[in-house]
Amino acid sequence: MAHVNVFDTTLRDGEQSAGVNLNRLEKMEIAKQLERLGVDIMEAGFPASSQADFDAVKEIADTVRGCSVTGLARANKRDIDIAWEALKGGAEPRLHVFLATSPIHMTHKLKKTPDEVVQTAVNMVRYAREKFPYVQFSAEDALRSDRDFLVHIIEQVIDAGASVINLPDTVGFTTPDEIGSLFRYVREQVPNIDQAVLSTHNHDDLGMAVSNSLAAVENGAGQIEGTINGIGERAGNAALEEIAVAFQIRQDRYDFQTGLVLKEIKRTSDLVSRLTGMQVPGNKAVVGRNAFAHESGIHQDGVLKEATTYEIITPAMVGIDSNRMVLGKHSGRHAFKQKAEELGFELNETKLKEAFASFKDLTGKKKEVTDDDLFAILTDTQTEHEDQPKYELKAFQVQYGSINRPTATVLLTKPDGEEAEKANTGEGSVEAIYNTLDDLIDADVHLQDYQLSSIGRGRDALAEVHVQLTVNGVKASGRGSAQDVLEASAHAFLNAVNRTLYQHKRHEGYEKVQV
């Protein structure tokens, strides 16, 4: 079976999803899990976009050894130089440089003639190749580009040193037959195409990203680009977990395979969902909570008699284990540490002690602590900055009644160590808490979005809240979990505010880009 490289862009294109703002620790945690998943190439970010992104890409490149780490760069020397500084410590430094090739982009965005675009692409690929052993060139908006122009520019950049050619459907416009036709055409018309790997990167605006990716592979693509859970700009990208499982289940149709460790899929999906705040729809293929649920009596009867009657994918294949070790109030530190490692977390002694304390506190409130509960505790602990000044909730109280206006009293510790207490009202209990926190925080804070969900099921399930704020004009996201909805809401609000204390971004020249 032919091997197809997996190019994961969760940390770059995925992070460009509206409302997603990962910090350095969160990016590193996802990067380590992507390494366990077995991706071939990991796009860690866009180093030239900000100091924070540069730092995160550099740390990931210096740490991850199981795959090639790459970063995005526009076709200019500044971006390429900054990317090299971030990536040069990687096990296999790689650059992803892009330039638009469609008439609409060249005319209205680049304001360059086709000849100028070709010359820029060639010069920048050649310049990048002086530093990087591997250079990928992306023809942005390839599916709306003139085919003969694509053939010409691809031939030129391969001669200049590009080893991977990406033909992205940047706006999610194409169909499987169209993209298949394009990849065949390029393979047949570019004389030196055997010197490069063709890559496919598809957006899901029309809901065909996965189908288009499969069609591209059938017609010569040796690399698939996508994200975990299909997150990304607008409607997102091709979902890598769906493609990998499709190859596995339909081996009769697809004579291809990836190096992904399928049993790591669910864990990776859960981690990305929790840290980005983008909930996985219940009916999402492969990883949705209903993917293996059977409501119909006929279906239930069939599955009980023989699972394959209605299940083409086994839960165990993607890492859903029904034989889970349950932890409770009598579980010790050793069992907790073992379970944390089983869930993919490597905690230092300080964080292990903190997480164990949170676990013990939860066992006093819940009879049975589930894997989902532990995952929430461990994720929060692992991605919390140590020894950083922050606002910390000490106590709160809410007075509420159907005929009374809700009133919240909050006591917190400020970053300078001073304790402060205030009270305020709101139309609802959450608003009363947020109005009070707003009074206590020394910043201009505005709530943009609020999402509430449960971790697990049952009346004692943890509540999880994700918020999006602007803090002094800077967008920030936060999350919080607790058995009480109001406490989770308060933690999420403070988490978002505290994140802004660690962000030191250089905004000059910053722009989110898409390929």
Side-chain angles (χ1 to χ4, degrees):
M1 298 175 72
H3 178 83
V4 177
N5 285 335
V6 172
F7 179 111
D8 181 276
T9 184
T10 302
L11 294 173
R12 199 277 300 170
D13 203 329
E15 199 203 9
Q16 291 180 197
S17 304
V20 175
N21 182 19
L22 298 170
N23 64 30
R24 178 181 58 83
L25 292 180
E26 291 166 338
K27 277 198 164 191
M28 177 55 68
E29 203 59 32
I30 291 175
K32 289 189 293 186
Q33 182 56 37
L34 291 173
E35 185 179 19
R36 294 187 196 99
L37 180 63
V39 303
D40 299 286
I41 300 102
M42 182 190 307
E43 189 167 45
F46 179 18
S49 68
S50 70
Q51 184 65 43
D53 222 31
F54 174 90
D55 292 340
V57 172
K58 186 178 190 318
E59 184 173 356
I60 291 170
D62 292 345
T63 303
V64 170
R65 287 342 228 189
C67 66
S68 178
V69 178
T70 188
L72 188 68
R74 290 164 293 199
N76 64 64
K77 290 185 177 181
R78 174 186 175 274
D79 277 20
I80 294 170
D81 288 342
I82 292 174
W84 172 246
E85 289 303 313
L87 295 162
K88 63 184 180 182
E92 188 182 83
R94 181 182 300 253
L95 182 71
H96 179 195
V97 61
F98 73 98
L99 191 62
T101 55
S102 67
I104 190 170
H105 276 244
M106 289 189 291
T107 301
H108 298 287
K109 187 178 76 171
L110 300 180
K111 301 188 185 303
K112 290 179 180 288
T113 67
D115 287 343
E116 289 173 329
V117 168
V118 171
Q119 194 59 52
T120 299
V122 168
N123 289 343
M124 292 304 100
V125 167
R126 185 175 290 124
Y127 181 74
R129 190 63 181 80
E130 293 174 1
K131 303 173 182 291
F132 290 88
Y134 299 96
V135 175
Q136 171 172 320
F137 175 77
S138 283
E140 184 185 7
D141 206 22
L143 270 297
R144 293 193 297 177
S145 300
D146 177 79
R147 288 191 173 190
D148 290 333
F149 178 68
L150 269 181
V151 167
H152 176 58
I153 195 170
I154 290 171
E155 179 182 3
Q156 296 299 309
V157 295
I158 291 175
D159 282 343
S163 52
V164 179
I165 301 296
N166 182 35
L167 303 178
D169 181 18
T170 304
V171 296
F173 176 76
T174 197
T175 62
D177 62 318
E178 289 174 344
I179 198 169
S181 173
L182 175 64
F183 273 78
R184 286 196 307 273
Y185 188 82
V186 168
R187 285 179 57 208
E188 293 167 357
Q189 299 299 319
V190 177
N192 55 357
I193 196 62
D194 60 321
Q195 298 175 32
V197 175
L198 279 175
S199 183
T200 184
H201 177 123
N202 296 291
H203 282 262
D204 206 34
D205 297 71
L206 295 179
M208 291 188 280
V210 169
S211 296
N212 289 337
S213 299
L214 294 172
V217 170
E218 287 185 293
N219 288 278
Q223 176 174 293
I224 288 180
E225 304 187 15
T227 60
I228 301 302
N229 298 336
I231 65 173
E233 287 273 8
R234 305 182 314 280
N237 292 260
L240 291 175
E241 67 277 0
E242 295 180 21
I243 294 168
V245 171
F247 282 165
Q248 176 68 23
I249 297 300
R250 293 305 308 273
Q251 292 182 15
D252 61 316
R253 180 70 171 79
Y254 301 113
D255 193 24
F256 309 101
Q257 63 182 357
T258 70
L260 295 188
V261 181
L262 299 187
K263 67 180 181 180
E264 294 288 343
I265 284 177
K266 187 61 167 64
R267 181 184 302 166
T268 312
S269 170
D270 288 346
L271 183 67
V272 170
S273 174
R274 178 162 177 76
L275 293 183
T276 60
M278 299 189 71
Q279 299 297 315
V280 176
N283 65 333
K284 166 77 168 61
V286 177
V287 292
R289 68 177 179 273
N290 294 338
F292 304 100
H294 303 278
E295 182 72 18
S296 164
I298 295 175
H299 285 213
Q300 291 173 345
D301 179 66
V303 169
L304 288 172
K305 292 175 178 175
E306 169 54 51
T308 56
T309 54
Y310 289 103
E311 279 187 0
I312 62 170
I313 309 167
T314 64
M317 178 186 293
V318 296
I320 300 175
D321 185 6
S322 59
N323 299 316
R324 297 178 174 181
M325 179 175 68
V326 177
L327 298 182
K329 64 180 180 180
H330 299 297
S331 299
R333 182 185 171 103
H334 178 73
F336 179 81
K337 181 179 180 182
Q338 183 179 358
K339 188 63 178 179
E341 292 173 351
E342 179 187 320
L343 291 174
F345 292 90
E346 301 171 5
L347 281 72
N348 60 34
E349 282 303 312
T350 300
K351 297 218 175 222
L352 178 63
K353 182 179 179 180
E354 182 183 341
F356 186 65
S358 297
F359 160 70
K360 279 297 187 181
D361 180 63
L362 186 58
T363 60
K365 304 172 183 175
K366 293 189 67 175
K367 180 179 179 181
E368 191 173 283
V369 178
T370 68
D371 278 8
D372 290 335
D373 296 329
L374 290 173
F375 195 84
I377 290 172
L378 292 165
T379 303
D380 287 345
T381 303
Q382 189 75 317
T383 56
E384 180 76 18
H385 286 80
E386 296 182 63
D387 303 322
Q388 291 279 0
K390 60 184 178 181
Y391 289 94
E392 187 171 359
L393 183 69
K394 302 297 290 185
F396 77 97
Q397 183 175 353
V398 177
Q399 293 180 315
Y400 172 80
S402 60
I403 60 174
N404 298 321
R405 185 173 174 82
T407 302
T409 303
V410 177
L411 172 66
L412 57 73
T413 304
K414 293 189 172 185
D416 60 5
E418 176 189 353
E419 286 193 350
E421 182 178 10
K422 283 192 177 182
N424 205 338
T425 62
E427 293 301 320
S429 298
V430 172
E431 185 182 20
I433 291 175
Y434 283 5
N435 287 342
T436 308
L437 288 172
D438 198 5
D439 291 341
L440 287 164
I441 291 167
D442 302 320
D444 182 25
V445 183
H446 296 279
L447 178 67
Q448 303 295 316
D449 190 32
Y450 175 95
Q451 296 180 26
L452 172 65
S453 60
S454 67
I455 298 174
R457 298 179 181 180
R459 65 176 61 190
D460 64 349
L462 290 178
E464 182 169 61
V465 172
H466 288 267
V467 299
Q468 293 174 28
L469 310 177
T470 58
V471 183
N472 291 333
V474 178
K475 291 182 179 179
S477 58
R479 66 180 183 278
S481 58
Q483 275 204 296
D484 182 78
V485 170
L486 301 182
E487 184 179 352
S489 299
H491 285 311
F493 191 96
L494 291 176
N495 179 250
V497 172
N498 287 332
R499 287 167 69 103
T500 64
L501 299 178
Y502 317 133
Q503 294 175 355
H504 304 286
K505 293 186 177 181
R506 289 200 310 257
H507 289 277
E508 295 83 10
Y510 173 68
E511 62 175 301
K512 286 187 174 182
V513 298
Q514 55 178 309
V515 176

